[in-house]
Amino acid sequence: MSTTPRVVIIGAGIVGANLADELTERGWDRITVVDQGPLPLTGGSSSHAPGLVFQTNASKTMTEFATYTVNKLKSIDVDGAWCFNQVGGLEIATTAERLTDLHRRQGWATSWGVQAEVVSAEECVRLHPLVDREQVLGGLHIPTDGLAKATRTVVALTRRAQARGAVFQGNTRVTGIEQTGGRVTGVRTDDAVIPADIVVSCAGFWGVELGAMVGMDVPLLPLAHQFVWTGQVPDLVGRNTELQEAGLPILRHQDQDLYYRERVDCLGIGSYAHRPMPVDLRTLPEGEVTEAAMPSVLQFTEEDFAPAWEQSKLLLPSLRQSKIDSGFNGIFSFTPDGGPLVGESAEVKGFWIAEAVWVTHSAGVARAVAQLLVDGRSEIELHGCDVHRFEDVQLAPDYVSETSQQNFVEIYDILHPLQPKESPRNLRVSPFHARQAQLGAVFLEGAGWERPHWYEANAPLVDQLPAEWTPPGRDSWSAKFHSPIAAAEAWKTRTAVAMYDMTPLKRLEVSGPGALDLLQRLTTGQMDKTVGAVTYALILDQVGGIRSDVTVARLGEQLFQVGANSALDYDYLRRHAPADGSVQIRDITGGTCCVGLWGPLAREVIGAVSSDDFSNDGLKYFRAKKVRIGGVSVTAMRLSYVGELGWELYTSADNGQRLWDVLWAAGEQHGIVAAGRAAFNSLRLEKGYRSWGTDMTTEYNPYEAGLGFAVSPRKESFLGRDALSGIGEDSVARRLTCLTIDDGRSVVLGSEPVFVNGQPAGYVTSAAFGHTIGKPIAYAWLPARLSVGDGVEIQYFENRVAATVTAEPLVDPKMTRLRG
Ligand SMILES: Cc1cc2nc3c(=O)[nH]c(=O)nc-3n(C[C@H](O)[C@H](O)[C@H](O)COP(=O)(O)OP(=O)(O)OC[C@H]3O[C@@H](n4cnc5c(N)ncnc54)[C@H](O)[C@@H]3O)c2cc1C
């Protein structure tokens, strides 16, 4: 008798079918897949998906999901008929800006291991003879892209899962989730309860409804997107058999928000060029599901497609001899940041979701979910997919609706990595916001917070910069969302004193009789220290991958303040807290605030407004204590992410503005400045301080990431410890490596491929101009065999930039400034 859990998968679309396949492949054989629609054509998005699979994505995870999907679908068929037709992908440029950006996309593909080439206009026409030579400037060719036949794939995977014992049940609508004591026990349908230990909702754009059954916010928006099939295109006649269907590459015309695929002698055209069309699920078509009538297919609104048709005839002149044969407004899911939604409900154990997933990523996401269920961890890191990545304010329906529609509008836009949302803004502001605005802060947005990037009030300092601090000019791309004022703010931080708003960094309060045990169990650091100790440590998963890095201050015997990275840490700690109530975990970020007061003159400033002892003896490096500053009660921590003397000063939100004002007034005679994220990022890279999510993730262990020092050698037990045994800094095969750029001026931005001896060997994580060292810095994942002094090349658009492996940290390796 099988002992694997009973799993009910809701939804037999491409995601549900893939998940059933992945779980049964891992030996789980008590799988029931239910769908409200008939099988295999359920009427969901997968039932009409044209199935273009373009793998290249800014995200490594999404690209790897796509590559897995390609390889898996290539290996299956239905009675000899293909599930994946590897015709290749061609993204064309009709503007100079797009052509330039295709080089950046080619860089991403290279970074993530997908072969891709920027080709000439002539080559575009050779690859896709329907394209008008006069319209294109060049293209990006990815030979391994292609067409997924979603409906056939569902059939193939269903058969395979059924052969391994899975049960598929159509015409079965889930109306409720059964639970007892905070755990799922089954799903309710119109006429039965199907018992389950685990329920996975793969309900696509119906996900919000399913989530609501367990009180879970599912931040997705169903939107309609237009797709048409043309009639016969004379130039395609005779090119394809019915079975083969297509031979020309799938085509993207991003300058006009359009894409194309062949179907025998016709073309399919998809358009994102129309207004966003949010869909209210209560208005979906009802009745029998057939190929012609599905709930996910709305009436074609011809007028919305008219400009797309004109543009298509310009790009593909053969279409002038054809016409639109049929069209529809098909529904699928969009999310606030464009990522999928994967994870388990925080409230109801055993209720999982895998939604807002494209056909492109379907097999990859399904494998990740299967690995999470069976092994407890996905080999591909998931922080950009985890449904718990959002802040509370980002779960509000209005926020989800506005940002998801914005993502629809921008789907093919050329977006700068720092480009902030235009709306909604000012959702979360720190208590210093009014002062920052007075100083001309240029705000970018992150997790709903307004975050000063630099301050225009510091512009006059740029003219005062000593020659060695004066930054070189930048190319137009890296100059976007940047100002040379950042150099002045970095200069003042290293030579005088600066105030940084650290409020948006996630802060958790962990308290209670079980607090110490919990933190001991989950982190790599020794937490059982005296009150006042601050410890930098890592949270690992069971194979030693880095889930997060935290700075833990012991503020009382049973009271800890955890400086964390994101909402994911809050979710993770709460999940691991004992059920007996001995630990309380609160997100105190919004109710508190933090000023980083840093620089060689920081002690002069604080000495003028506090009678507490801030000397080296009074508050040692990595210690915390309660103080008063200008009458405000403050928790001061002797830490600095920028590598200078100073403190993180925490107080409650109501006292924040006073704290800022008092420090500011005292600092004026010392030339204090407010400094923003641009300077901060540069200074932290000069010190080699890693940023979780960018520099390291669960895919890397502490030794690879250069964080072995954060693993306490004497601590006997913590999650992930056993997996690290036998691993050390010297035994790793890849390493997060510090590079400086040889020409002293070419700033890269992150995700660029790095070449060793002319071959792709890794990719850039974080990068910035190092103002103190007068050179750009890039951290990159590279083979560990590289040594200090070795030369590499970074691909930046179409250029290769020479860089050198450099010993780190680049500034103050003896820590004299920090400990000063
Ligand atoms: C016009 C159009 C073109 C697209 N083109 C592409 C493309 O070229 N490439 C690409 O990668 N993606 C494309 N997509 C997106 C892609 O189709 C979807 O993202 C994908 O099919 C979603 O798969 P899924 O399995 O999550 O959802 P679905 O296929 O919608 O499956 C969800 C299932 O859940 C079932 N369900 C819902 N509620 C319940 C309930 N209460 N009880 C039981 N069952 C329930 C539904 O009946 C449905 O069958 C396109 C989408 C559209 C609309």
Side-chain angles (χ1 to χ4, degrees), residues 11 13-15 35-36 42 44-46 48-52 172 174 202-203 206 225 259 330 332 357-360:
I14 192 90
V15 178
D35 201 294
Q36 63 192 5
T42 64
S45 308
S46 310
H48 57 67
L52 291 84
T172 307
V174 172
C202 301
W206 284 272
H225 154 55
Y259 63 85
F332 73 120
V357 178
W358 287 28
V359 171
T360 302

PDB file of all heavy atoms in Angstrom, residues 11 13-15 35-36 42 44-46 48-52 172 174 202-203 206 225 259 330 332 357-360, ligand 1:
ATOM      1  N   GLY A  11      -7.124  21.802 -11.457  1.00  0.00           N
ATOM      2  CA  GLY A  11      -6.785  22.372 -12.763  1.00  0.00           C
ATOM      3  C   GLY A  11      -5.976  21.397 -13.583  1.00  0.00           C
ATOM      4  O   GLY A  11      -4.897  20.967 -13.173  1.00  0.00           O
ATOM      5  N   GLY A  13      -4.890  22.068 -16.691  1.00  0.00           N
ATOM      6  CA  GLY A  13      -4.236  22.787 -17.777  1.00  0.00           C
ATOM      7  C   GLY A  13      -2.780  22.371 -17.857  1.00  0.00           C
ATOM      8  O   GLY A  13      -2.367  21.335 -17.301  1.00  0.00           O
ATOM      9  N   ILE A  14      -1.979  23.176 -18.524  1.00  0.00           N
ATOM     10  CA  ILE A  14      -0.583  22.805 -18.762  1.00  0.00           C
ATOM     11  C   ILE A  14       0.200  22.714 -17.446  1.00  0.00           C
ATOM     12  O   ILE A  14       1.103  21.888 -17.309  1.00  0.00           O
ATOM     13  CB  ILE A  14       0.088  23.797 -19.750  1.00  0.00           C
ATOM     14  CG1 ILE A  14       1.425  23.295 -20.260  1.00  0.00           C
ATOM     15  CG2 ILE A  14       0.259  25.176 -19.154  1.00  0.00           C
ATOM     16  CD1 ILE A  14       1.352  22.485 -21.494  1.00  0.00           C
ATOM     17  N   VAL A  15      -0.191  23.509 -16.454  1.00  0.00           N
ATOM     18  CA  VAL A  15       0.537  23.474 -15.179  1.00  0.00           C
ATOM     19  C   VAL A  15       0.119  22.253 -14.363  1.00  0.00           C
ATOM     20  O   VAL A  15       0.968  21.499 -13.867  1.00  0.00           O
ATOM     21  CB  VAL A  15       0.321  24.788 -14.389  1.00  0.00           C
ATOM     22  CG1 VAL A  15       1.031  24.727 -13.040  1.00  0.00           C
ATOM     23  CG2 VAL A  15       0.831  25.986 -15.201  1.00  0.00           C
ATOM     24  N   ASP A  35     -10.796  18.975 -12.692  1.00  0.00           N
ATOM     25  CA  ASP A  35     -11.010  20.206 -13.458  1.00  0.00           C
ATOM     26  C   ASP A  35     -12.504  20.406 -13.651  1.00  0.00           C
ATOM     27  O   ASP A  35     -13.239  19.450 -13.906  1.00  0.00           O
ATOM     28  CB  ASP A  35     -10.297  20.149 -14.811  1.00  0.00           C
ATOM     29  CG  ASP A  35     -10.070  21.544 -15.364  1.00  0.00           C
ATOM     30  OD1 ASP A  35     -11.073  22.237 -15.686  1.00  0.00           O
ATOM     31  OD2 ASP A  35      -8.903  21.974 -15.440  1.00  0.00           O
ATOM     32  N   GLN A  36     -12.893  21.655 -13.570  1.00  0.00           N
ATOM     33  CA  GLN A  36     -14.313  21.977 -13.760  1.00  0.00           C
ATOM     34  C   GLN A  36     -14.752  21.739 -15.214  1.00  0.00           C
ATOM     35  O   GLN A  36     -15.917  21.491 -15.484  1.00  0.00           O
ATOM     36  CB  GLN A  36     -14.584  23.431 -13.376  1.00  0.00           C
ATOM     37  CG  GLN A  36     -13.832  24.426 -14.241  1.00  0.00           C
ATOM     38  CD  GLN A  36     -13.851  25.850 -13.698  1.00  0.00           C
ATOM     39  OE1 GLN A  36     -14.351  26.092 -12.614  1.00  0.00           O
ATOM     40  NE2 GLN A  36     -13.299  26.790 -14.443  1.00  0.00           N
ATOM     41  N   THR A  42     -10.121  21.686 -21.380  1.00  0.00           N
ATOM     42  CA  THR A  42     -10.880  22.116 -20.200  1.00  0.00           C
ATOM     43  C   THR A  42     -11.554  23.469 -20.366  1.00  0.00           C
ATOM     44  O   THR A  42     -12.423  23.827 -19.584  1.00  0.00           O
ATOM     45  CB  THR A  42      -9.931  22.230 -18.995  1.00  0.00           C
ATOM     46  OG1 THR A  42      -8.980  23.280 -19.282  1.00  0.00           O
ATOM     47  CG2 THR A  42      -9.201  20.938 -18.713  1.00  0.00           C
ATOM     48  N   GLY A  44      -9.666  26.224 -20.153  1.00  0.00           N
ATOM     49  CA  GLY A  44      -8.757  27.199 -19.539  1.00  0.00           C
ATOM     50  C   GLY A  44      -7.817  27.794 -20.577  1.00  0.00           C
ATOM     51  O   GLY A  44      -7.923  27.488 -21.780  1.00  0.00           O
ATOM     52  N   SER A  45      -6.867  28.595 -20.110  1.00  0.00           N
ATOM     53  CA  SER A  45      -5.959  29.293 -21.038  1.00  0.00           C
ATOM     54  C   SER A  45      -5.164  28.305 -21.899  1.00  0.00           C
ATOM     55  O   SER A  45      -4.870  28.584 -23.062  1.00  0.00           O
ATOM     56  CB  SER A  45      -4.960  30.158 -20.271  1.00  0.00           C
ATOM     57  OG  SER A  45      -5.590  31.012 -19.366  1.00  0.00           O
ATOM     58  N   SER A  46      -4.810  27.167 -21.320  1.00  0.00           N
ATOM     59  CA  SER A  46      -3.985  26.215 -22.074  1.00  0.00           C
ATOM     60  C   SER A  46      -4.735  25.628 -23.263  1.00  0.00           C
ATOM     61  O   SER A  46      -4.122  25.081 -24.176  1.00  0.00           O
ATOM     62  CB  SER A  46      -3.533  25.057 -21.177  1.00  0.00           C
ATOM     63  OG  SER A  46      -2.981  25.541 -19.990  1.00  0.00           O
ATOM     64  N   HIS A  48      -6.306  27.131 -25.516  1.00  0.00           N
ATOM     65  CA  HIS A  48      -6.200  27.895 -26.758  1.00  0.00           C
ATOM     66  C   HIS A  48      -4.830  28.534 -26.926  1.00  0.00           C
ATOM     67  O   HIS A  48      -4.610  29.312 -27.853  1.00  0.00           O
ATOM     68  CB  HIS A  48      -7.275  28.989 -26.811  1.00  0.00           C
ATOM     69  CG  HIS A  48      -7.229  29.940 -25.656  1.00  0.00           C
ATOM     70  ND1 HIS A  48      -6.193  30.809 -25.468  1.00  0.00           N
ATOM     71  CD2 HIS A  48      -8.081  30.124 -24.626  1.00  0.00           C
ATOM     72  CE1 HIS A  48      -6.427  31.507 -24.370  1.00  0.00           C
ATOM     73  NE2 HIS A  48      -7.548  31.103 -23.843  1.00  0.00           N
ATOM     74  N   ALA A  49      -3.893  28.233 -26.006  1.00  0.00           N
ATOM     75  CA  ALA A  49      -2.592  28.915 -26.031  1.00  0.00           C
ATOM     76  C   ALA A  49      -1.865  28.622 -27.336  1.00  0.00           C
ATOM     77  O   ALA A  49      -1.677  27.461 -27.701  1.00  0.00           O
ATOM     78  CB  ALA A  49      -1.744  28.452 -24.862  1.00  0.00           C
ATOM     79  N   PRO A  50      -1.407  29.663 -28.033  1.00  0.00           N
ATOM     80  CA  PRO A  50      -0.668  29.428 -29.268  1.00  0.00           C
ATOM     81  C   PRO A  50       0.724  28.857 -29.019  1.00  0.00           C
ATOM     82  O   PRO A  50       1.352  28.374 -29.957  1.00  0.00           O
ATOM     83  CB  PRO A  50      -0.594  30.810 -29.910  1.00  0.00           C
ATOM     84  CG  PRO A  50      -0.819  31.777 -28.808  1.00  0.00           C
ATOM     85  CD  PRO A  50      -1.654  31.089 -27.783  1.00  0.00           C
ATOM     86  N   GLY A  51       1.194  28.934 -27.788  1.00  0.00           N
ATOM     87  CA  GLY A  51       2.353  28.139 -27.390  1.00  0.00           C
ATOM     88  C   GLY A  51       3.723  28.591 -27.859  1.00  0.00           C
ATOM     89  O   GLY A  51       4.639  27.779 -28.002  1.00  0.00           O
ATOM     90  N   LEU A  52       3.906  29.883 -28.052  1.00  0.00           N
ATOM     91  CA  LEU A  52       5.257  30.343 -28.417  1.00  0.00           C
ATOM     92  C   LEU A  52       6.145  30.292 -27.178  1.00  0.00           C
ATOM     93  O   LEU A  52       5.754  30.761 -26.100  1.00  0.00           O
ATOM     94  CB  LEU A  52       5.218  31.774 -28.958  1.00  0.00           C
ATOM     95  CG  LEU A  52       4.535  31.948 -30.328  1.00  0.00           C
ATOM     96  CD1 LEU A  52       3.030  32.065 -30.161  1.00  0.00           C
ATOM     97  CD2 LEU A  52       5.088  33.176 -31.034  1.00  0.00           C
ATOM     98  N   THR A 172     -15.562  18.460 -12.842  1.00  0.00           N
ATOM     99  CA  THR A 172     -15.596  18.403 -11.378  1.00  0.00           C
ATOM    100  C   THR A 172     -15.130  19.757 -10.837  1.00  0.00           C
ATOM    101  O   THR A 172     -13.939  20.049 -10.815  1.00  0.00           O
ATOM    102  CB  THR A 172     -14.656  17.284 -10.855  1.00  0.00           C
ATOM    103  OG1 THR A 172     -14.999  16.069 -11.512  1.00  0.00           O
ATOM    104  CG2 THR A 172     -14.748  17.123  -9.363  1.00  0.00           C
ATOM    105  N   VAL A 174     -14.355  22.446  -8.081  1.00  0.00           N
ATOM    106  CA  VAL A 174     -14.037  22.558  -6.655  1.00  0.00           C
ATOM    107  C   VAL A 174     -14.789  23.764  -6.097  1.00  0.00           C
ATOM    108  O   VAL A 174     -14.689  24.876  -6.625  1.00  0.00           O
ATOM    109  CB  VAL A 174     -12.519  22.717  -6.443  1.00  0.00           C
ATOM    110  CG1 VAL A 174     -12.209  23.031  -4.981  1.00  0.00           C
ATOM    111  CG2 VAL A 174     -11.794  21.452  -6.880  1.00  0.00           C
ATOM    112  N   CYS A 202      -3.770  24.755  -9.331  1.00  0.00           N
ATOM    113  CA  CYS A 202      -3.166  25.135 -10.617  1.00  0.00           C
ATOM    114  C   CYS A 202      -4.298  25.681 -11.478  1.00  0.00           C
ATOM    115  O   CYS A 202      -4.497  25.262 -12.616  1.00  0.00           O
ATOM    116  CB  CYS A 202      -2.515  23.928 -11.285  1.00  0.00           C
ATOM    117  SG  CYS A 202      -1.232  23.162 -10.299  1.00  0.00           S
ATOM    118  N   ALA A 203      -5.043  26.591 -10.879  1.00  0.00           N
ATOM    119  CA  ALA A 203      -6.301  27.029 -11.481  1.00  0.00           C
ATOM    120  C   ALA A 203      -6.117  28.218 -12.404  1.00  0.00           C
ATOM    121  O   ALA A 203      -7.102  28.835 -12.814  1.00  0.00           O
ATOM    122  CB  ALA A 203      -7.313  27.347 -10.381  1.00  0.00           C
ATOM    123  N   TRP A 206      -8.207  31.598 -12.536  1.00  0.00           N
ATOM    124  CA  TRP A 206      -9.242  31.439 -11.507  1.00  0.00           C
ATOM    125  C   TRP A 206      -8.602  31.413 -10.098  1.00  0.00           C
ATOM    126  O   TRP A 206      -9.284  31.198  -9.117  1.00  0.00           O
ATOM    127  CB  TRP A 206     -10.012  30.147 -11.711  1.00  0.00           C
ATOM    128  CG  TRP A 206     -11.009  30.137 -12.824  1.00  0.00           C
ATOM    129  CD1 TRP A 206     -12.319  30.532 -12.739  1.00  0.00           C
ATOM    130  CD2 TRP A 206     -10.824  29.673 -14.173  1.00  0.00           C
ATOM    131  NE1 TRP A 206     -12.935  30.343 -13.963  1.00  0.00           N
ATOM    132  CE2 TRP A 206     -12.053  29.821 -14.862  1.00  0.00           C
ATOM    133  CE3 TRP A 206      -9.732  29.160 -14.879  1.00  0.00           C
ATOM    134  CZ2 TRP A 206     -12.219  29.471 -16.200  1.00  0.00           C
ATOM    135  CZ3 TRP A 206      -9.913  28.819 -16.221  1.00  0.00           C
ATOM    136  CH2 TRP A 206     -11.138  28.976 -16.871  1.00  0.00           C
ATOM    137  N   HIS A 225      -6.235  39.165 -23.835  1.00  0.00           N
ATOM    138  CA  HIS A 225      -5.131  39.453 -24.758  1.00  0.00           C
ATOM    139  C   HIS A 225      -5.563  38.945 -26.122  1.00  0.00           C
ATOM    140  O   HIS A 225      -6.124  37.858 -26.240  1.00  0.00           O
ATOM    141  CB  HIS A 225      -3.888  38.750 -24.199  1.00  0.00           C
ATOM    142  CG  HIS A 225      -2.837  38.389 -25.174  1.00  0.00           C
ATOM    143  ND1 HIS A 225      -2.251  39.294 -26.019  1.00  0.00           N
ATOM    144  CD2 HIS A 225      -2.236  37.196 -25.432  1.00  0.00           C
ATOM    145  CE1 HIS A 225      -1.343  38.664 -26.755  1.00  0.00           C
ATOM    146  NE2 HIS A 225      -1.319  37.397 -26.416  1.00  0.00           N
ATOM    147  N   TYR A 259       3.501  39.485 -31.838  1.00  0.00           N
ATOM    148  CA  TYR A 259       4.256  38.251 -32.095  1.00  0.00           C
ATOM    149  C   TYR A 259       3.510  37.378 -33.099  1.00  0.00           C
ATOM    150  O   TYR A 259       2.300  37.542 -33.290  1.00  0.00           O
ATOM    151  CB  TYR A 259       4.553  37.491 -30.789  1.00  0.00           C
ATOM    152  CG  TYR A 259       3.342  36.991 -30.050  1.00  0.00           C
ATOM    153  CD1 TYR A 259       2.752  35.775 -30.376  1.00  0.00           C
ATOM    154  CD2 TYR A 259       2.791  37.723 -28.997  1.00  0.00           C
ATOM    155  CE1 TYR A 259       1.644  35.305 -29.686  1.00  0.00           C
ATOM    156  CE2 TYR A 259       1.675  37.262 -28.308  1.00  0.00           C
ATOM    157  CZ  TYR A 259       1.104  36.055 -28.657  1.00  0.00           C
ATOM    158  OH  TYR A 259      -0.003  35.591 -27.984  1.00  0.00           O
ATOM    159  N   GLY A 330      -8.367  36.295 -25.521  1.00  0.00           N
ATOM    160  CA  GLY A 330      -8.133  35.161 -24.610  1.00  0.00           C
ATOM    161  C   GLY A 330      -7.655  35.647 -23.255  1.00  0.00           C
ATOM    162  O   GLY A 330      -6.930  36.640 -23.166  1.00  0.00           O
ATOM    163  N   PHE A 332      -5.653  35.367 -19.660  1.00  0.00           N
ATOM    164  CA  PHE A 332      -4.659  34.728 -18.781  1.00  0.00           C
ATOM    165  C   PHE A 332      -4.222  35.691 -17.698  1.00  0.00           C
ATOM    166  O   PHE A 332      -4.705  36.818 -17.609  1.00  0.00           O
ATOM    167  CB  PHE A 332      -3.519  34.062 -19.554  1.00  0.00           C
ATOM    168  CG  PHE A 332      -2.494  34.946 -20.203  1.00  0.00           C
ATOM    169  CD1 PHE A 332      -1.148  34.851 -19.841  1.00  0.00           C
ATOM    170  CD2 PHE A 332      -2.841  35.834 -21.202  1.00  0.00           C
ATOM    171  CE1 PHE A 332      -0.185  35.629 -20.468  1.00  0.00           C
ATOM    172  CE2 PHE A 332      -1.883  36.616 -21.827  1.00  0.00           C
ATOM    173  CZ  PHE A 332      -0.557  36.513 -21.456  1.00  0.00           C
ATOM    174  N   VAL A 357       1.320  31.247 -14.534  1.00  0.00           N
ATOM    175  CA  VAL A 357       2.452  30.566 -15.180  1.00  0.00           C
ATOM    176  C   VAL A 357       2.169  30.467 -16.682  1.00  0.00           C
ATOM    177  O   VAL A 357       1.090  30.014 -17.073  1.00  0.00           O
ATOM    178  CB  VAL A 357       2.632  29.147 -14.594  1.00  0.00           C
ATOM    179  CG1 VAL A 357       3.769  28.421 -15.292  1.00  0.00           C
ATOM    180  CG2 VAL A 357       2.860  29.211 -13.091  1.00  0.00           C
ATOM    181  N   TRP A 358       3.115  30.870 -17.491  1.00  0.00           N
ATOM    182  CA  TRP A 358       2.963  30.731 -18.943  1.00  0.00           C
ATOM    183  C   TRP A 358       3.241  29.288 -19.351  1.00  0.00           C
ATOM    184  O   TRP A 358       3.921  28.548 -18.616  1.00  0.00           O
ATOM    185  CB  TRP A 358       3.979  31.631 -19.663  1.00  0.00           C
ATOM    186  CG  TRP A 358       3.668  33.090 -19.607  1.00  0.00           C
ATOM    187  CD1 TRP A 358       2.983  33.759 -18.632  1.00  0.00           C
ATOM    188  CD2 TRP A 358       4.044  34.072 -20.585  1.00  0.00           C
ATOM    189  NE1 TRP A 358       2.923  35.100 -18.938  1.00  0.00           N
ATOM    190  CE2 TRP A 358       3.561  35.319 -20.132  1.00  0.00           C
ATOM    191  CE3 TRP A 358       4.745  34.012 -21.791  1.00  0.00           C
ATOM    192  CZ2 TRP A 358       3.751  36.491 -20.854  1.00  0.00           C
ATOM    193  CZ3 TRP A 358       4.942  35.184 -22.509  1.00  0.00           C
ATOM    194  CH2 TRP A 358       4.436  36.411 -22.041  1.00  0.00           C
ATOM    195  N   VAL A 359       2.778  28.933 -20.540  1.00  0.00           N
ATOM    196  CA  VAL A 359       3.151  27.637 -21.112  1.00  0.00           C
ATOM    197  C   VAL A 359       4.680  27.522 -21.117  1.00  0.00           C
ATOM    198  O   VAL A 359       5.259  26.478 -20.774  1.00  0.00           O
ATOM    199  CB  VAL A 359       2.605  27.524 -22.560  1.00  0.00           C
ATOM    200  CG1 VAL A 359       3.167  26.287 -23.251  1.00  0.00           C
ATOM    201  CG2 VAL A 359       1.090  27.520 -22.563  1.00  0.00           C
ATOM    202  N   THR A 360       5.319  28.622 -21.470  1.00  0.00           N
ATOM    203  CA  THR A 360       6.787  28.678 -21.570  1.00  0.00           C
ATOM    204  C   THR A 360       7.477  28.142 -20.321  1.00  0.00           C
ATOM    205  O   THR A 360       8.508  27.482 -20.399  1.00  0.00           O
ATOM    206  CB  THR A 360       7.209  30.143 -21.812  1.00  0.00           C
ATOM    207  OG1 THR A 360       6.568  30.593 -23.006  1.00  0.00           O
ATOM    208  CG2 THR A 360       8.707  30.304 -21.918  1.00  0.00           C
TER     209      THR A 360
HETATM  210  C1  LIG B   1      -4.286  34.594 -26.277  1.00  0.00           C
HETATM  211  C2  LIG B   1      -3.240  33.995 -25.415  1.00  0.00           C
HETATM  212  C3  LIG B   1      -2.017  33.697 -25.949  1.00  0.00           C
HETATM  213  C4  LIG B   1      -1.026  33.150 -25.156  1.00  0.00           C
HETATM  214  N1  LIG B   1       0.156  32.827 -25.726  1.00  0.00           N
HETATM  215  C5  LIG B   1       1.099  32.228 -25.016  1.00  0.00           C
HETATM  216  C6  LIG B   1       2.306  31.848 -25.617  1.00  0.00           C
HETATM  217  O1  LIG B   1       2.474  32.035 -26.803  1.00  0.00           O
HETATM  218  N2  LIG B   1       3.269  31.303 -24.846  1.00  0.00           N
HETATM  219  C7  LIG B   1       3.062  31.091 -23.522  1.00  0.00           C
HETATM  220  O2  LIG B   1       3.971  30.598 -22.882  1.00  0.00           O
HETATM  221  N3  LIG B   1       1.916  31.410 -22.922  1.00  0.00           N
HETATM  222  C8  LIG B   1       0.928  31.983 -23.634  1.00  0.00           C
HETATM  223  N4  LIG B   1      -0.238  32.342 -23.039  1.00  0.00           N
HETATM  224  C9  LIG B   1      -0.403  32.123 -21.594  1.00  0.00           C
HETATM  225  C10 LIG B   1      -0.757  30.691 -21.295  1.00  0.00           C
HETATM  226  O3  LIG B   1      -1.779  30.269 -22.140  1.00  0.00           O
HETATM  227  C11 LIG B   1      -1.206  30.514 -19.858  1.00  0.00           C
HETATM  228  O4  LIG B   1      -0.396  31.230 -18.999  1.00  0.00           O
HETATM  229  C12 LIG B   1      -1.211  29.048 -19.465  1.00  0.00           C
HETATM  230  O5  LIG B   1      -1.935  28.285 -20.393  1.00  0.00           O
HETATM  231  C13 LIG B   1      -1.794  28.868 -18.079  1.00  0.00           C
HETATM  232  O6  LIG B   1      -1.845  27.502 -17.800  1.00  0.00           O
HETATM  233  P1  LIG B   1      -2.545  26.982 -16.470  1.00  0.00           P
HETATM  234  O7  LIG B   1      -2.490  25.520 -16.467  1.00  0.00           O
HETATM  235  O8  LIG B   1      -2.013  27.712 -15.311  1.00  0.00           O
HETATM  236  O9  LIG B   1      -4.045  27.528 -16.587  1.00  0.00           O
HETATM  237  P2  LIG B   1      -5.292  26.928 -17.376  1.00  0.00           P
HETATM  238  O10 LIG B   1      -4.921  26.293 -18.633  1.00  0.00           O
HETATM  239  O11 LIG B   1      -6.292  28.043 -17.425  1.00  0.00           O
HETATM  240  O12 LIG B   1      -5.797  25.808 -16.418  1.00  0.00           O
HETATM  241  C14 LIG B   1      -6.449  26.101 -15.205  1.00  0.00           C
HETATM  242  C15 LIG B   1      -7.535  25.082 -15.039  1.00  0.00           C
HETATM  243  O13 LIG B   1      -8.124  25.229 -13.750  1.00  0.00           O
HETATM  244  C16 LIG B   1      -9.472  24.848 -13.883  1.00  0.00           C
HETATM  245  N5  LIG B   1     -10.226  25.392 -12.745  1.00  0.00           N
HETATM  246  C17 LIG B   1     -10.345  26.680 -12.379  1.00  0.00           C
HETATM  247  N6  LIG B   1     -11.128  26.786 -11.303  1.00  0.00           N
HETATM  248  C18 LIG B   1     -11.510  25.534 -10.975  1.00  0.00           C
HETATM  249  C19 LIG B   1     -12.321  25.006  -9.958  1.00  0.00           C
HETATM  250  N7  LIG B   1     -12.934  25.775  -9.056  1.00  0.00           N
HETATM  251  N8  LIG B   1     -12.497  23.662  -9.912  1.00  0.00           N
HETATM  252  C20 LIG B   1     -11.891  22.854 -10.821  1.00  0.00           C
HETATM  253  N9  LIG B   1     -11.130  23.312 -11.828  1.00  0.00           N
HETATM  254  C21 LIG B   1     -10.939  24.643 -11.888  1.00  0.00           C
HETATM  255  C22 LIG B   1      -9.880  25.471 -15.205  1.00  0.00           C
HETATM  256  O14 LIG B   1     -11.010  24.865 -15.766  1.00  0.00           O
HETATM  257  C23 LIG B   1      -8.643  25.262 -16.047  1.00  0.00           C
HETATM  258  O15 LIG B   1      -8.726  24.119 -16.842  1.00  0.00           O
HETATM  259  C24 LIG B   1      -1.263  32.901 -23.796  1.00  0.00           C
HETATM  260  C25 LIG B   1      -2.484  33.213 -23.247  1.00  0.00           C
HETATM  261  C26 LIG B   1      -3.482  33.751 -24.039  1.00  0.00           C
HETATM  262  C27 LIG B   1      -4.792  34.069 -23.426  1.00  0.00           C
END
